[in-house]
Amino acid sequence: MREQRAKNLAQLVVVATLALVSILGGGALLAQENAGRQDNSGRLVTPSDSLSGSLPASDNGSATTNLSTSGVRQTTEYQQAMAVAVRTAAARCLESVVSIEVIGAIGSGEGEVERDAPGSGVIVGKEGYILASSLVSARPSASLIVVLGTGERYAAKVIAKDEHRDLVLLKIDAPNDLKALDLAEASAGVVGQTVIAVGRYGGDRSPLVSRGILSAEQRLDGIALQCDARVSPSFYGGPLIDLYGRTLGVLIPAVAEGGAESSTDWYDSGIAFAIPTDVIANKLERMKRGEEIKRGMIGIVARSSDPYSDGTEIAAVRRRSPAEQAGLLPGDEVISVAGLKVRRQLEIRQALGPYDAGETISIGFRRGEITQAVDVTLASTIPPLEPQRLGLILSEQEAVERAKQAGNTAQNGSAEAEQDPTLSPETLANEGSPKEVEAKTKSVSLVIDAIIPTTPADGVFIRGDQLVSVNGALISDGDSLRRLLISANPKDTLAITVIRNGSSVDLQVTTQTIADEALTRYPRGWGGGDVTSQETTELNNDEKKSNQENAKEKNPIALNADVQNRWEVSQWKLPEASNAAAVAAPKDVIETNRLGLLILLMNPGAGAPITALEDWLESARSSGVVVCAIAPEDQQRWLPKEVDVIARFAASLAKQYSIHPESVAVATAGALAGGDGDAADAMALAVALSQRQLFHGAAVSTKTQPPRIRLLENEGQGSFQLMLSLSPADELPQWAPPLKRAGYPVVTGDEVDRFSLLRWVRLLQVL
C-alpha cells in the first residue's frame, strides 16, 4: 500500500512539474507536439522507437510548433518533464498489454498490414480474457498465440466478436491470475488533451508508445475517439491512455467511409481511432458469454445525397427492415433519434451509430402536419438490395424552361408534348390537389426527357411528363427517385402521378431488376449513331421523323456531323501526378449533360495511353462517352496510393466535359469479350468500390483476381453496377456473388465489345 501511494505521489509530482513548466515556457506546446525530438538522454526519439528496459518515451504527435508571435520556445525542462510523464503513464498499463501472433493464416491479407504485422491486446479479465482488434481473427488461422510481457506464450481461442467496433475477445488458460486493466478507472477524455498509444511488438515483446492529441469524439458514426498519435499496425488492440495512465480506449484499424480501400491504410498517418473504455466495459459481459455484437440497422434511405445538407426526409424504406415494421414511410421527416434532435442526415447516422442490433430506440418523425414517435428494434441484417429501374431519362427543369419547351413542341405539332401554354402559378393553383398544385408551381421539376425502348416505362410515360409523386410521396429530384428505386422490392408495382398537358394523370408501372442483362438500346430521341440497327428497322417513318427532330433538340453530338467529327485523342495531365494519361473527347464544349465518362486503366507495361486510345476514338465519339486511358506510375505494378490519383483524374474530366454524374465508370481492356484478368482489373475494382461516390460502374475481366478490400453493404445511398462479359447461361465468377449479396447489381452482356461497353456506361444514368 505504501509503495502504491508513493508511486501515485511521484506521478502527481511529475504531472504538476509538467504543468508548471508549461506555464513558465512550454504551455503552447502541450497541444503542439513534434515527432522526432530528444529525450532526457539527448537521443532523438522517432515514431519507430520502442520502449524497453528503462522505458524511453516516443514523442510523435503530428502538429507543428508555432513560435511566430508569442516567442515561446521549447525548453529542455519541458522535454524532460513530458518524457518522464509519458514513461510513468505507460508503465501503469504495460503489465496488462500483450502481443498477439497469428500463426498459419489462410488466404491473402487485406494489405501489407494484415499479412505481416503482429498485433497487440489488453488483458480485461484476470481469468485470461484478452481484448484485441479484429485483425487477429480476420482470416482463418492455425492458431493465435498471446505473448505476455513476461515472455510466456499461450494459445488463445476466440470467445466472441464485436463486429460493430472491430474488436474480438480471446481467452487463454494461464496458470496464474493476470493483471487486468481497470476499466472502472476509465477516463472520459477531453478534446485537446495529451494521449498516449501503447502496444507491444512481436516476439521480443518490445513495448511501444506514441504520443498525440485527442482530436475528436463520436467519430466513425459515433463509435470512436480520434487522436493524432502515429500508430504502426502493432499498436492495434493496445490501449489509448492519458498522462495519468488511465485508459481512454482500445485502438482499432479504421478509416472514414471512402477514405481508403482497406481499414489499415491510415496506419502511421497521424489519424488513429479507439473504442472508448466505457463502451467496452458495457459490452464486455455479453462478449464473455459468447454473444456476437453487430451494428444495428434501421433501413431508411435518405432523400439527399449530401449528408451535411439540412433536411431529414426519408426517400425510401427498405423492405423487411425495422423501419418498415415500425410503419415509417417515404416522405416522413425524422425529427429525433433516441431522444436526440436531428436536423440533417449526418446527425441521424451519428445518433444511430452507437446502437447495436437487438437494441430498441425511439424514432420521432413528422408526417404531414402530425408529429409521431415509434419504438424501433434494430436488426443485424436486412435483406440485400435488388436495385430496380423504370427505363427513364430525367432532367430537373425550371418553370421558365418548361414553358419554353412546351411552346416549342406545340409549335412543332408534337402530340406527345402538348402543354398548357400559360403554365402560370395563378392558373395552375385553381385546380388539383395540394400536392399537384405544389408540383405544378414549384420552380424546379423532374421532367421525362427520354424513354428506353422495351423497359417498363415504354408505353406508360411520354416525353414531357412531369413527375409528381410515387406511392403518395412527392418526388422533387432525381436523387430521391433513384434511392427509392434502389430500395424497391423486385418487380414492385408503383403508383406514379404525373402532370401531362397541364393535368394530373395517375399511372401504374412495374419495376425491372437492374441485375442480369445490360440495356441494349438507346432511348428514342437520341438519334444518329445512338439508334441500333434493330430499332431503326422497327421504327416506322413517322417515328423516324420524330426521332430525328428530338435528336436535334436533345442530342446534338449524335446527329451533327461537324460536332461528331471534332473528337480527338490528346494527352491529359494532372498536377502532381506522374501517371501518363490520354483522353478521347470532343475538341469543343458540347451543350449537353448527357455524356458518359469511362476511366480505362492500362496494364503495367502495356504501352502509351495515347496509342491505346486510337482504337477507342470511333466508339467513344459515336457513343457519346469520353474515354481516359491511364497508365500506372510504376510500369511493373499498380500502387495503392494511385486509387486517389485515378479518382482525381475522373473528377477533373467530369468538370471539364459535360458528364452526367451517374454515367461515370472504370474499366479495363480485359472487360471486353475474351479478355484476361491482370493487375489493372484488380485496381479497377479497388478504385470503384472505394470511390463509390464518384464511380457508378466497373467493368473487368471474369478472370480477375479481386483485391482484398472492405466491401461495404449498399444501403441505398447510391447506385453501382458491375459489368461482366457473360451470356445469361454462364456462371458468375466466384468473387461476384458476394457483390450481389451486398446489394450491388451484377450486369452481364454477351460478347461485350467497345460499343456495347460504352453504351452501358452512358446508360448508367437511366432510372
Side-chain angles (χ1 to χ4, degrees):
M1 182 68 71
R2 288 181 179 177
E3 291 180 359
Q4 184 62 43
R5 287 178 178 174
K7 191 178 294 185
N8 291 342
L9 180 60
Q11 185 179 15
L12 288 173
V13 170
V14 168
V15 175
T17 303
L18 181 60
L20 179 60
V21 170
S22 69
I23 293 171
L24 295 176
L29 303 175
L30 274 174
Q32 298 177 330
E33 300 154 7
N34 291 331
R37 59 170 74 101
Q38 292 180 332
D39 65 10
N40 59 351
S41 67
R43 182 174 66 87
L44 184 67
V45 179
T46 67
S48 60
D49 285 322
S50 63
L51 290 172
S52 60
S54 60
L55 299 173
S58 170
D59 294 345
N60 30 307
S62 63
T64 58
T65 305
N66 184 354
L67 303 176
S68 56
T69 57
S70 66
V72 177
R73 296 186 177 279
Q74 184 174 0
T75 65
T76 302
E77 290 85 356
Y78 172 79
Q79 296 177 43
Q80 293 173 341
M82 179 61 80
V84 171
V86 170
R87 290 200 302 271
T88 306
R92 289 194 62 187
C93 69
L94 266 173
E95 192 177 350
S96 302
V97 180
V98 303
S99 177
I100 301 174
E101 300 174 3
V102 181
I103 308 298
I106 300 173
S108 60
E110 194 173 273
E112 59 177 320
V113 170
E114 188 179 320
R115 287 195 298 268
D116 301 331
S120 294
V122 291
I123 301 171
V124 291
K126 64 180 182 179
E127 309 89 349
Y129 288 105
I130 312 290
L131 194 66
S133 84
S134 60
L135 279 185
V136 301
S137 61
R139 293 177 290 155
S141 60
S143 61
L144 298 174
I145 302 298
V146 171
V147 186
L148 303 182
T150 60
E152 298 171 89
R153 301 169 64 86
Y154 297 96
K157 60 182 179 180
V158 175
I159 300 300
K161 297 177 182 179
D162 184 344
E163 297 179 7
H164 188 181
R165 299 169 185 84
D166 287 321
L167 294 171
V168 60
L169 184 66
L170 309 176
K171 178 73 164 57
I172 63 173
D173 294 325
N176 303 310
D177 286 350
L178 303 177
K179 176 65 180 300
L181 280 182
D182 187 357
L183 299 181
E185 196 189 16
S187 172
V190 178
V191 172
Q193 76 175 85
T194 298
V195 294
I196 307 162
V198 183
R200 286 193 185 274
Y201 182 77
D204 65 0
R205 312 173 312 283
S206 298
L208 303 169
V209 296
S210 180
R211 177 164 60 93
I213 299 300
L214 185 63
S215 311
E217 299 174 313
Q218 301 294 308
R219 292 304 310 277
L220 304 179
D221 290 342
I223 69 169
L225 305 172
Q226 179 181 327
C227 71
D228 67 354
R230 298 175 67 91
V231 299
S232 66
S234 295
F235 280 93
Y236 295 142
L240 184 70
I241 62 174
D242 64 13
L243 280 174
Y244 293 91
R246 297 175 301 193
T247 306
L248 300 174
V250 172
L251 296 158
I252 61 168
V255 298
E257 184 176 350
E261 61 182 276
S262 165
S263 64
T264 59
D265 278 358
W266 282 1
Y267 81 88
D268 206 24
S269 67
I271 302 175
F273 299 100
I275 302 301
T277 311
D278 60 337
V279 175
I280 293 171
N282 183 265
K283 310 295 179 185
L284 189 57
E285 289 305 315
R286 290 178 57 189
M287 296 183 73
K288 286 182 178 180
R289 294 194 297 268
E291 294 183 25
E292 302 286 321
I293 299 176
K294 297 186 178 183
R295 179 173 68 98
M297 302 178 68
I298 187 170
I300 59 176
V301 180
R303 171 185 169 186
S304 173
S305 59
D306 181 3
Y308 298 95
S309 64
D310 289 338
T312 58
E313 185 178 331
I314 298 173
V317 175
R318 293 182 59 177
R319 60 193 175 102
R320 296 191 307 218
S321 68
E324 183 183 66
Q325 294 169 2
L328 294 174
L329 298 174
D332 288 347
E333 182 183 355
V334 179
I335 58 177
S336 67
V337 176
L340 298 175
K341 291 183 178 180
V342 292
R343 297 169 300 167
R344 52 182 66 93
Q345 295 297 335
L346 181 65
E347 293 175 354
I348 294 178
R349 291 181 57 174
Q350 289 286 109
L352 287 171
Y355 292 95
D356 300 326
E359 295 183 321
T360 300
I361 60 174
S362 175
I363 301 292
F365 63 97
R366 184 180 296 110
R367 181 176 295 165
E369 300 299 322
I370 302 175
T371 298
Q372 307 176 52
V374 292
D375 288 336
V376 181
T377 300
L378 303 179
S380 60
T381 60
I382 296 175
L385 295 172
E386 296 183 54
Q388 304 290 296
R389 67 176 163 228
L390 298 175
L392 299 173
I393 301 286
L394 304 174
S395 66
E396 295 176 13
Q397 296 182 6
E398 296 183 1
V400 173
E401 182 181 353
R402 295 200 308 275
K404 181 179 178 181
Q405 288 193 1
N408 289 341
T409 47
Q411 215 171 19
N412 293 333
S414 171
E416 282 190 349
E418 290 179 5
Q419 302 287 337
D420 185 341
T422 60
L423 284 176
S424 66
E426 293 79 5
T427 302
L428 292 172
N430 293 327
E431 57 180 78
S433 68
K435 283 187 178 181
E436 293 165 10
V437 170
E438 180 182 349
K440 292 178 183 179
T441 59
K442 64 186 178 182
S443 59
V444 177
S445 297
L446 203 56
V447 177
I448 296 175
D449 279 348
I451 300 164
I452 306 296
T454 72
T455 62
D458 193 15
V460 177
F461 299 92
I462 62 174
R463 290 184 60 251
D465 280 350
Q466 177 189 336
L467 282 153
V468 177
S469 64
V470 177
N471 290 342
L474 280 176
I475 298 294
S476 59
D477 57 72
D479 280 345
S480 58
L481 178 58
R482 191 175 298 276
R483 284 171 173 75
L484 189 149
L485 290 172
I486 290 172
S487 305
N489 292 328
K491 298 182 179 179
D492 196 7
T493 298
L494 304 179
I496 300 180
T497 299
V498 301
I499 301 298
R500 179 179 295 172
N501 301 334
S503 300
S504 174
V505 179
D506 294 326
L507 305 170
Q508 285 197 332
V509 60
T510 301
T511 63
Q512 177 185 66
T513 301
I514 291 176
D516 303 326
E517 294 186 62
L519 294 172
T520 58
R521 302 170 71 178
Y522 284 105
R524 296 183 179 92
W526 282 23
D530 289 340
V531 181
T532 65
S533 58
Q534 177 185 359
E535 183 178 348
T536 302
T537 302
E538 291 176 354
L539 293 176
N540 59 36
N541 292 331
D542 291 338
E543 287 177 317
K544 288 179 183 178
K545 181 179 178 181
S546 175
N547 192 34
Q548 291 171 352
E549 291 172 349
N550 294 334
K552 293 176 183 178
E553 177 184 335
K554 287 294 178 186
N555 191 19
I557 69 164
L559 214 62
N560 188 324
D562 291 336
V563 175
Q564 280 189 323
N565 293 332
R566 290 201 297 269
W567 280 57
E568 64 178 359
V569 175
S570 59
Q571 302 280 4
W572 187 266
K573 298 291 186 181
L574 189 67
E576 301 179 1
S578 56
N579 301 71
V583 61
K587 294 180 182 180
D588 306 313
V589 175
I590 294 178
E591 295 299 328
T592 178
N593 66 343
R594 294 300 183 196
L595 295 183
L597 172 62
L598 177 67
I599 299 297
L600 183 69
L601 301 188
M602 299 182 63
N603 285 313
I610 197 165
T611 303
L613 279 188
E614 293 295 339
D615 293 334
W616 288 78
L617 180 59
E618 172 59 24
S619 54
R621 179 193 61 77
S622 62
S623 301
V625 177
V626 174
V627 181
C628 177
I630 306 174
E633 176 183 320
D634 183 341
Q635 287 304 304
Q636 303 299 317
R637 57 177 179 164
W638 281 98
L639 302 173
K641 68 176 183 178
E642 291 174 285
V643 168
D644 180 62
V645 174
I646 294 165
R648 288 193 287 122
F649 268 106
S652 68
L653 287 160
K655 185 176 181 179
Q656 176 69 23
Y657 298 99
S658 302
I659 306 298
H660 191 283
E662 294 291 329
S663 292
V664 180
V666 59
T668 69
L672 304 180
D676 289 327
D678 210 324
D681 295 86
M683 188 64 175
L685 282 177
V687 168
L689 292 174
S690 62
Q691 302 286 336
R692 286 186 292 116
Q693 291 184 332
L694 178 60
F695 292 96
H696 298 281
V700 296
S701 169
T702 57
K703 303 173 185 176
T704 299
Q705 294 295 323
R708 186 175 178 87
I709 61 174
R710 297 181 305 153
L711 182 58
L712 300 177
E713 183 179 358
N714 183 3
E715 296 184 350
Q717 298 299 323
S719 58
F720 177 85
Q721 299 178 27
L722 174 67
M723 173 67 157
L724 297 174
S725 181
L726 292 171
S727 70
D730 291 334
E731 289 188 9
L732 295 176
Q734 290 184 345
W735 50 267
L739 281 167
K740 295 187 70 172
R741 290 195 294 271
Y744 303 106
V746 178
V747 177
T748 60
D750 197 5
E751 295 297 317
V752 171
D753 58 14
R754 294 186 183 92
F755 288 93
S756 57
L757 175 61
L758 295 181
R759 180 177 60 227
W760 167 75
V761 173
R762 197 171 180 198
L763 293 181
L764 286 172
Q765 62 192 273
V766 173
L767 284 160

